[in-house]
Amino acid sequence: MAVMIDAKLILCENADTAATVMSSVIDLGRNKVLKPLYVDVKLTQGVSAGRVKSVELQTSADKAFTTPITEMVVMVGKTAEQQKHACQLAQFFTAIQPQGRFVRVKITGDTTAPAGGKLWAYLSPDIQVPS
């Protein structure tokens, strides 16, 4: 079964890995999604050095992220060797603060910054499970 992905909910698409990567910002609007949001982060191309250490979901009341709120941090369990290949980095549901109109992810590398890889991240108000 093919799954349709809403392009407006893509946070990163082929973003280069680095010590810190900030995704694009998604505006949930004044009448934002009230249920938990599903976040999916992948390496679509493995890294040649270093590794991704964590994925942090941040929200803000303003698009400039003047005072970002950390909603959730997921520590990535994949080793540097596993991240040399395309792989799933994190999948999680998280609730957001009422003032969290704007959403982004912050992807952080380990002591040796990840290089040579490509990141893809997606936000969804739900997930479909194949039957």
Side-chain angles (χ1 to χ4, degrees):
M1 168 173 72
V3 177
M4 298 291 287
I5 294 177
D6 187 341
K8 290 184 272 186
L9 297 175
I10 294 175
L11 292 158
C12 292
E13 186 170 20
N14 292 323
D16 293 329
T17 53
T20 301
V21 175
M22 295 294 210
S23 75
S24 58
V25 174
I26 294 177
D27 181 356
L28 297 177
R30 271 195 344 227
N31 300 320
K32 63 186 169 296
V33 178
L34 296 176
K35 57 186 172 178
L37 298 172
Y38 173 73
V39 181
D40 184 8
V41 182
K42 295 174 173 50
L43 270 175
T44 55
Q45 176 180 311
V47 297
S48 55
R51 72 183 268 283
V52 174
K53 181 180 178 180
S54 66
V55 175
E56 178 180 340
L57 182 75
Q58 297 179 332
T59 60
S60 178
D62 61 6
K63 191 172 185 174
F65 275 77
T66 309
T67 53
I69 298 166
T70 298
E71 299 290 354
M72 185 170 195
V73 177
V74 173
M75 302 308 289
V76 177
K78 303 279 188 210
T79 65
E81 187 61 34
Q82 289 171 313
Q83 290 187 29
K84 288 183 180 179
H85 309 281
C87 64
Q88 185 73 48
L89 293 175
Q91 287 180 315
F92 57 93
F93 279 100
T94 185
I96 60 169
Q97 301 292 323
Q99 68 274 21
R101 175 176 176 165
F102 298 91
V103 179
R104 72 180 180 192
V105 290
K106 176 180 176 182
I107 303 165
T108 306
D110 209 345
T111 309
T112 302
K118 298 287 184 185
L119 294 162
W120 184 86
Y122 178 71
L123 178 70
S124 176
D126 61 4
I127 183 172
Q128 289 184 331
V129 178
S131 54

